[in-house]
Amino acid sequence: MKESLVFYSEYDEPAAWTEALAAHLPDLDIRVYPDVGAPEAVRYALVWKPPQGFLARFPGLRLVVNLGAGVDALLARDDLPDVPITRISDPNMARMMAGYVLFAVLRYARDIPLFERAKRERRWAYVHPREACETRVGVLGLGELGATAAAELVRHGFDVRGWSRSPKSLAGVSCVHGKDALPRFLSELDIAVVMLPLTPETRRLLGRDMLSALPAGAKLINVSRGAVVDEQALLEALKSGHIAEATLDVFETEPLPPEHPFWTMENVLITPHLASVALPRSAAQQIAENIRRVRSGREVLNRVDPRRGY
Ligand code: NDP
Ligand code: OXD
């Protein structure tokens, strides 16, 4: 029986992934759900949020590839087989994310929301621009995406600081690590960029206390997961003006329900979870390499540690 890979995602184009993978693995039978073929032939799953019980249908699975960078939804499942789990790890995905973060930071550093409001009132609101180095930007999470975004901000001349779990050394970024360092780190920022994975340790990490550690008037950009920030505490901080502005790409409930107060807040920019996406052309190579590794009994690359949560 020819071994197969099953693909499931409601957000990604199956044909693009099938074509990209077939170019690297012409001998692999690539199946797009619901046309899964013989379940016992499925050795590899490339999935983004499949329905509960989906993975349990394939007893011969040898590798689960998360069709994205964040594995929180995958690790929370109860049908996860005891096989290696990998994530998409792709410099082009990191570059797309860095572009979004740079846009959001520049928008605040260049006072664009103020001009957007002034324009609506036909007001010529001159504010003298500041040098980039006068804006302190803190990146929370210095992984594949966070480190790339931090480097992009350094390239633009911002005063870039970074916070992670373990010590890091990144050119041009002053790095600190560990929970104890977080309140002080936050207290010295103009803009906080949240790029942490959602894990038991980071869930609601940015609650009332941590948000109040930010200086009055700080801006917040969240491109990680909604639940890393306590949304109720953020709402209060945005209403009081303690947090002046927020750019939110991710939310505790997605799609963000129409009645959610964020929709009507002048000081909140909302984008629908697309700061970055998995890109078939560049990611297929990495997935194919891992399939080759599984076939030859070698350790896969970019393996997720389920105990750590990322
Ligand atoms: P990585 O797993 O590569 O890196 C995670 C970083 O967070 C690491 O630096 C890690 O520290 C740090 N971290 C983890 N836990 C803690 C903690 N408890 N305290 C302090 N630091 C911590 O993730 P990526 O950079 O690839 O991606 C980050 C997140 O971005 C994803 O998990 C996903 O949720 C989100 N994402 C959002 C997208 C969007 O479109 N909005 C698209 C893609 C991803 P250390 O280095 O010490 O391990
Ligand atoms: C991801 C995402 O984690 O799209 O890849 O959020």
Side-chain angles (χ1 to χ4, degrees):
M1 193 168 21
K2 198 172 172 186
E3 61 173 23
S4 66
L5 172 146
V6 65
F7 174 96
Y8 185 101
S9 169
E10 288 173 25
Y11 294 87
D12 301 272
E13 179 50 56
W17 282 94
T18 307
E19 193 184 318
L21 285 168
H24 292 278
L25 297 164
D27 57 333
L28 186 66
D29 184 14
I30 302 168
R31 296 285 179 156
V32 176
Y33 177 85
D35 177 23
V36 298
E40 56 283 7
V42 175
R43 296 281 174 275
Y44 316 103
L46 174 59
V47 290
W48 182 253
K49 299 190 176 167
Q52 276 303 333
F54 181 86
L55 297 171
R57 295 171 55 185
F58 310 115
L61 267 182
R62 294 171 69 192
L63 173 70
V64 177
V65 183
N66 183 59
L67 188 39
V71 289
D72 47 294
L74 190 65
L75 296 183
R77 303 174 63 91
D78 55 17
D79 62 346
L80 207 52
D82 186 17
V83 300
I85 298 164
T86 62
R87 48 161 286 185
I88 299 288
S89 169
D90 169 14
N92 288 352
M93 184 185 197
R95 188 193 293 167
M96 185 185 270
M97 176 60 94
Y100 181 102
V101 169
L102 178 64
F103 148 76
V105 167
L106 281 172
R107 183 167 169 268
Y108 293 139
R110 296 304 308 268
D111 302 308
I112 301 301
L114 186 150
F115 302 128
E116 285 165 351
R117 281 171 211 133
K119 193 240 174 191
R120 285 198 283 277
E121 297 160 14
R122 298 172 177 247
R123 204 159 38 81
W124 186 262
Y126 187 86
V127 178
H128 201 68
R130 300 170 297 283
E131 268 193 85
C133 63
E134 292 174 58
T135 300
R136 301 164 299 175
V137 187
V139 179
L140 287 82
L142 298 170
E144 294 200 17
L145 305 181
T148 307
E152 186 63 11
L153 295 167
V154 168
R155 200 169 72 80
H156 277 260
F158 289 103
D159 174 350
V160 186
R161 292 115 190 265
W163 181 74
S164 55
R165 202 164 75 135
S166 57
K168 290 271 175 298
S169 168
L170 299 174
V173 184
S174 54
C175 298
V176 293
H177 64 278
K179 200 162 179 184
D180 291 348
L182 185 57
R184 168 127 193 237
F185 174 77
L186 292 170
S187 75
E188 296 172 346
L189 301 180
D190 299 304
I191 303 176
V193 187
V194 186
M195 303 193 73
L196 295 161
L198 177 61
T199 69
E201 275 182 44
T202 64
R203 184 174 289 277
R204 306 242 167 93
L205 176 70
L206 297 180
R208 206 160 276 124
D209 289 355
M210 293 300 166
L211 294 177
S212 9
L214 285 163
K219 281 96 178 174
L220 182 93
I221 297 164
N222 187 7
V223 289
S224 75
R225 288 289 183 264
V228 173
V229 179
D230 178 338
E231 280 187 358
Q232 190 52 40
L234 177 59
L235 258 174
E236 286 162 20
L238 283 162
K239 278 186 190 154
S240 74
H242 181 73
I243 293 190
E245 303 267 354
T247 298
L248 305 176
D249 183 57
V250 287
F251 303 88
E252 189 138 12
T253 304
E254 295 180 3
L256 187 64
E259 65 280 5
H260 199 288
F262 283 151
W263 286 115
T264 54
M265 297 179 84
E266 268 274 321
N267 53 351
V268 178
L269 176 66
I270 292 175
T271 53
H273 196 147
L274 41 62
S276 186
V277 292
L279 302 162
R281 259 201 304 264
S282 41
Q285 201 180 329
Q286 174 225 341
I287 298 167
E289 169 62 19
N290 273 337
I291 289 177
R292 281 188 216 106
R293 283 171 174 261
V294 170
R295 281 174 170 172
S296 59
R298 285 174 295 148
E299 183 54 55
V300 294
L301 304 172
N302 309 112
R303 188 167 177 169
V304 170
D305 177 354
R307 278 165 314 171
R308 202 176 61 156
Y310 65 102

